Each structure stands twice: as C-alpha cells, then as structure tokens.
Amino acid sequence: MTESLLVIIGLGLFAGFFFSVPIAGPISILVTSNALNNKFRYCLRLAFGGAVVEFLYVFIAVYGFTSLYNYYNSAIPIILIVGSVFLVYVAIKIFRTELKIEELRKTKNSEKNIESSGGLRTGLLLNLTNPSLFLGWFTSSFLLLSFASSIGLNTGGLDMLMYDNVVSIEEITGKKLENLEKYNFIPNENSIDVEQESLPKLVLSLTYATMVGVGSFIWFYFLSKFLIKHKEKLKIEWLNGLIKTLGIFLLGIAVYLIYQGIVLI
C-alpha cells in the first residue's frame, strides 16, 4: 500500500510541476506578466485558482467519470467561445501594462493591494473555460501512468483504470483519441496482482490529482519568485516589450480558440 501511494505522489508532483513549465499557456503568460509587474501575491492566487481546476480535471479524468464527458463534449464550443472572450479582455489588459522605472525600484514584496485582488477568480475562470486542459491532462495522465506501470512501478491499478477510461471515451465519441492513436499501451499484466494489494482507487486518484495541483502551484511559485528577483537586471524597455509580446500571444490564442469554437458549432 505504501509503495503505490509513494509512487502516485511522486508521479503527481512530477506531472504537475514539469507539465506546467511551458510558457505558452494562459496561466503561464498571466503569471509571467504579473510577476514582472511585481505582483507576487496576485501570481500565487492565480496559480492556486488554476491548480484547483487542474485537480478537478485530473481527478475526473483518472477516476473515470466518463459518463460526464458526453455533456462536457457537447458544451465544448460554447466553453471555447466564452473562455476566449475572457482571454481577449485579459490579453488587452496585459498589452496595456506599462512598467515604469520607479516600479522597478520597489522592494520585492511591495505591490498594490487593489491590483493584487481577483487572482483566484481569474485562475479558476481561465482553466474552467479551457476545454483542452481536460483532454491534455487525460492524455498525459494516461501516458504517464501507463509508462510507469510498464517499467515496473506500482501505480495501484491506476494504469488499468486509465486504460478503461480511454476505451469508454472512444466508445462514447465513436472515434479514436487523436493524441493516443500512435500509442498501443496495454495494461501491465502484473497490475491485477498489484491492484489487490494497493489502496482503493478513489484514494489513489485523489492523491494523484492533489499532487498534480501541488506540483503546478510549486512551479508557478518558483517562477514568480525568480522573475521578481531578477527583473531589475533587465532594461525597462525589454520588460515592457516582453509584456506586450505576451499580451499579443495571448490574444492570438484567444482568436484561435474562438475560431475552433465556431467551427465546432
């Protein structure tokens, strides 16, 4: 029991931390732009809000509420459009941000209390209106747990659970999951024996999902600290240029998602 729990804790932390590293996502862009603007507490609230939603998505994906996917799948176009409109608003707000020399001279922990509010709501809303996040965690969790089991790690049967979930969703949608077509993972035959000696799947699923959220939050905590600590070494023009670039990039993501939502209607 202890072995499977430790393995799941390690896999969850690994997934949450390293899968959050790419800077291309909306949460990453917002954390980066606000850290450069010296809003550390805002970044933490933002990261926590995003981590809460990731916990929910991962738990649903792993534990197997596949019956919910029918309702979720039909709502994806609306979710995409609503979320993208919000992203446009956020992107414009980022683009209008203008750092000044005086702000770079503030102490590392200083920030405007009014501006640092609302980070939790923003993090929750950004990830709740990001349908690709659920499918992304579904796919990555399946691959990670299957790989871990294939090299002999005790996943407590979660690899078999994820395999069943993949089969169920493919039956519901009537098509293969695109990101998994080139993989042919079959549950490790030893998983059946291991599963009988492990903790309940509900406990392991909750543990894995919680550790994913914790790992994600830890990454954004250190990213925020790093950017705030070293931003004074960069020229103000470079910082403003980087923030505006992030705003434009986020706007591009929003336009693309709006297009995808319209196509799916």
Side-chain angles (χ1 to χ4, degrees), residues 237-256:
E237 295 83 7
W238 292 359
L239 290 176
N240 281 322
L242 175 59
I243 290 176
K244 291 187 184 302
T245 301
L246 291 173
I248 293 173
F249 189 74
L250 190 60
L251 183 62
I253 293 176
V255 171
Y256 173 76

Side-chain angles (χ1 to χ4, degrees), residues 52-73:
V52 168
V53 178
E54 287 182 349
F55 160 79
L56 291 174
Y57 279 165
V58 171
F59 177 63
I60 291 171
V62 174
Y63 193 60
F65 293 109
T66 48
S67 59
L68 297 176
Y69 188 75
N70 251 340
Y71 304 100
Y72 181 77
N73 192 41

Side-chain angles (χ1 to χ4, degrees), residues 8 22 24 70 80 114 119 148 157 166 184-185 247:
I8 292 303
N70 251 340
L80 275 172
I114 295 178
V166 169
N184 190 28
F185 280 117

Side-chain angles (χ1 to χ4, degrees), residues 144-194:
L144 181 62
L145 290 168
S146 298
F147 174 75
S149 177
S150 70
I151 62 174
L153 294 179
N154 182 356
T155 65
L158 287 193
D159 58 310
M160 294 183 64
L161 185 60
M162 285 299 302
Y163 182 81
D164 291 340
N165 294 342
V166 169
V167 172
S168 297
I169 287 184
E170 288 181 342
E171 289 177 349
I172 290 172
T173 60
K175 58 183 179 180
K176 292 280 186 181
L177 293 178
E178 292 182 8
N179 293 336
L180 300 179
E181 283 183 347
K182 59 183 178 181
Y183 296 98
N184 190 28
F185 280 117
I186 297 176
N188 191 332
E189 59 183 8
N190 296 324
S191 294
I192 299 176
D193 296 329
V194 168

Side-chain angles (χ1 to χ4, degrees), residues 83-109:
S84 300
V85 170
F86 179 67
L87 275 183
V88 170
Y89 165 76
V90 173
I92 292 173
K93 191 174 179 180
I94 291 176
F95 186 80
R96 288 181 174 178
T97 300
E98 192 75 28
L99 295 179
K100 299 178 181 179
I101 295 292
E102 307 83 61
E103 291 179 343
L104 291 181
R105 293 172 181 169
K106 291 180 180 179
T107 59
K108 295 175 184 177
N109 295 323

